[in-house]
Amino acid sequence: MKGLTHRWMLCPEATGTPPLAPSVEPLVARVLAARGMGDQPAISAFLDARLTAMHEPSLLPDCDRAAQRILHAVTTGQPVVVYGDYDVDGICATSILFHALRVIAPGADVRTYVPHRVDEGYGLHAPAMAALAREGARVAVSVDCGVTAFEAAAAARAAGLDLIITDHHTIAPQGVPPDAYAVVHPRRPGSAYPFGELCGAAVAFKLAWRIATLAQGATRVSPPVRETLLDGLALAGMATIADIVPLVGENRIIAKNGLARLKTCGNIGLRALIHAANLAGENIDSEQVGFILGPRINACGRMGHARDAVELMTTAAPDRAAELAAQLTRLNEQRRRTEKKIFDEARRMAEAAGMTRDDRRAIVLAGEGWHTGVVGIVCSRLIGAFHRPTILLNRTADECAGSGRSIDGFSLYDALHACSARLTRFGGHDMAAGLALHPDSLDAFAEEFIRHATERLAPEELTPSLRIDCAATTDEITIQAARQLEAMGPAGRANPAPRLLLRELEIARTPETVGSTGAHLAMFLRQGARELRVMGWGWGEKRDILRAGQRLDAVVEPRLNRWNGRERVEAQLLDLALRA
């Protein structure tokens, strides 16, 4: 079935009647069954998401070897550098290890390094390895980068620097860098680790956990170390959401418990950032991380230097933290203005080049003066508009460099590997990647990439699909059911908020636009005797085709509206189909 904006896909698992678990509403039981949980043990494990269900860090390849070397360094006075990426994941990972090592070995010489996005680019760099060694470092620990850094690993070894790589990105066909002292990666060939989709900060958290238990010679650690690890869990949870890894399995445990810790987290910088974002005292959810906190941290690396965000999360005293948090907020506003300018230009170029047609199923564009720290976000916005793999590059006289984003079912990394003869460098994973090439290769690369995508994507895949858990009636969307559906969060990739199909509805009264520009839509939908208030974010432009008395089917996400100590059930409109 097709709605106004999506292809609707009703889960086949939702057609049966699942066994009801005690205290679980029938509607919620159907949603859980649609997601593969049809019995009490599976339901309890999912809803509880207990920390005790996390996997042992020692199962990670090289985790014990890495932990032993780092512990030896911090307890014998050898300088250790944590080398992070410049996004939320890398900055959170850097902070996790920094604070853990400082509390495990008070007085340890722990330093941080993060490359400049524009001047140095993503990943480990050979000159940086040599420079760190000259400055006295004995151990360098990469977080959220390094698994394809063969040259940098060789440079580290030549300089007498023990390089420990911790990463989660796609491993190169030739394997991991042989010159690294250790490579901690959940998907390393031969890995016994049960869950391969950790983000970089989660891998760093697991390493910090293992260093702590080694240092204290027990599975239980002292209260100060435990509190620091729990603060690290808050950062890992935030990174798990912001890095858009699948929110299932261990990732969901980390995200759910990490979000719960945000409200009481002792990290001075994070508390300042939460205060600057006007979220102090709130129960912060995945949307607030994804759209408010995460962009502020990312803006520092995109528009300035991510070392300021690292300082915020590691060494900043309260006054300095407040200053840095305000600076990140300003940079985020600057980023939004830059993003809109590039988006408007790129959209016009894509349409003019025919890259939004069904017979050209990818977008590859380059523009002069396009900020390389922002083009990745613009890729995501273009995917929102045209739903096809997108690559945007900043063009200079010597190089075109930028980022790409993809859609489910199309591996961006594999596509870039297939076109790698045209590239000077690339790296990333299925959904996101960075790349660079010579300007003379741009046209040939664009055609090769678009041809690759067109051969592998069917025309219908250019319309986003909407996975629906089950059909429901408005009478089933009670406050109790909405609370239980809310407990299935945090919502994100591979664990979207529960989506329900409501059939044979009637628009009860004339829909109204909402917001200063009328961008949103509020309406009441009637089924039987009950009316349900539904909000359509970004649906304001469709008001003219909707009127009171029209009949329709709708896909919605139930929501609880909490205001002034009261709760009421509403729903967010995802799509609708008008009935004849």
Side-chain angles (χ1 to χ4, degrees), residues 414-423 426 445 448-450 452:
D414 289 349
L416 291 177
H417 188 265
C419 305
S420 58
R422 311 279 186 189
L423 306 175
F426 74 96
F445 166 72
E448 187 174 344
F449 185 91
I450 292 170
H452 181 93

Side-chain angles (χ1 to χ4, degrees), residues 214-506:
L214 271 178
Q216 305 208 332
T219 55
R220 289 186 177 274
V221 297
S222 65
V225 173
R226 182 178 183 275
E227 289 302 303
T228 300
L229 288 177
L230 287 174
D231 285 349
L233 184 70
L235 292 168
M238 190 162 63
T240 296
I241 292 163
D243 214 50
I244 320 181
V245 292
L247 284 184
V248 296
E250 193 170 35
N251 279 345
R252 183 169 172 273
I253 295 173
I254 292 170
K256 189 177 182 73
N257 289 279
L259 284 178
R261 179 72 179 187
L262 283 175
K263 192 173 183 178
T264 58
C265 182
N267 185 294
I268 292 171
L270 182 55
R271 287 165 58 184
L273 187 67
I274 290 171
H275 185 269
N278 298 315
L279 295 176
E282 292 194 24
N283 295 316
I284 298 171
D285 60 24
S286 58
E287 286 190 1
Q288 291 165 322
V289 167
F291 294 102
I292 299 176
L293 296 179
R296 282 168 163 76
I297 299 172
N298 270 332
C300 194
R302 296 183 191 282
M303 308 304 296
H305 198 310
R307 65 187 172 205
D308 292 337
V310 171
E311 179 189 352
L312 173 69
M313 294 295 186
T314 56
T315 61
D319 288 348
R320 175 61 174 160
E323 177 186 334
L324 287 169
Q327 176 185 322
L328 264 61
T329 298
R330 290 192 298 271
L331 286 172
N332 191 47
E333 289 302 315
Q334 181 185 341
R335 185 270 308 168
R336 292 174 66 179
R337 292 191 296 269
T338 303
E339 174 191 328
K340 183 181 185 306
K341 181 176 181 294
I342 298 173
F343 173 78
D344 291 342
E345 185 177 350
R347 179 168 189 154
R348 289 193 299 268
M349 290 171 63
E351 291 173 337
M355 294 179 185
T356 60
R357 301 195 313 251
D358 283 359
D359 61 339
R360 288 171 65 77
R361 298 169 195 164
I363 294 171
V364 181
L365 297 170
E368 294 182 3
W370 285 2
H371 198 300
T372 53
V374 175
V375 291
I377 312 173
V378 180
C379 287
S380 298
R381 289 192 59 186
L382 287 170
I383 287 175
F386 302 113
H387 200 69
R388 62 197 63 212
T390 300
I391 292 173
L392 296 180
L393 306 163
N394 176 52
R395 183 205 292 266
T396 66
D398 301 320
E399 185 179 64
C400 293
S403 300
R405 298 291 185 269
S406 193
I407 61 176
D408 286 335
F410 183 85
S411 171
L412 184 59
Y413 183 88
D414 289 349
L416 291 177
H417 188 265
C419 305
S420 58
R422 311 279 186 189
L423 306 175
T424 55
R425 64 182 186 275
F426 74 96
H429 47 79
D430 287 350
M431 301 301 291
L435 66 153
L437 65 156
H438 193 275
D440 292 345
S441 301
L442 176 62
D443 290 343
F445 166 72
E447 289 306 313
E448 187 174 344
F449 185 91
I450 292 170
R451 183 170 59 252
H452 181 93
T454 303
E455 290 171 351
R456 285 158 180 80
L457 289 170
E460 58 268 21
E461 291 180 275
L462 302 180
T463 299
S465 61
L466 188 58
R467 179 188 179 278
I468 303 168
D469 291 293
C470 65
T473 65
T474 56
D475 286 340
E476 292 182 294
I477 307 177
T478 62
I479 287 180
Q480 179 65 8
R483 286 176 185 155
Q484 292 182 3
L485 292 173
E486 188 177 65
M488 292 177 61
R493 182 181 166 204
N495 187 46
R499 297 163 175 169
L500 308 178
L501 172 59
L502 304 178
R503 293 190 174 102
E504 298 186 7
L505 300 164
E506 180 184 348

Side-chain angles (χ1 to χ4, degrees), residues 134-174:
R134 287 195 302 271
E135 293 166 3
R138 295 290 303 278
V139 177
V141 187
S142 80
V143 290
D144 192 35
C145 62
V147 76
T148 60
F150 291 85
E151 182 182 349
R157 185 171 183 178
L161 185 65
D162 285 340
L163 173 63
I164 293 168
I165 293 171
T166 77
D167 202 354
H168 73 118
H169 292 96
T170 303
I171 296 171
Q174 61 267 45

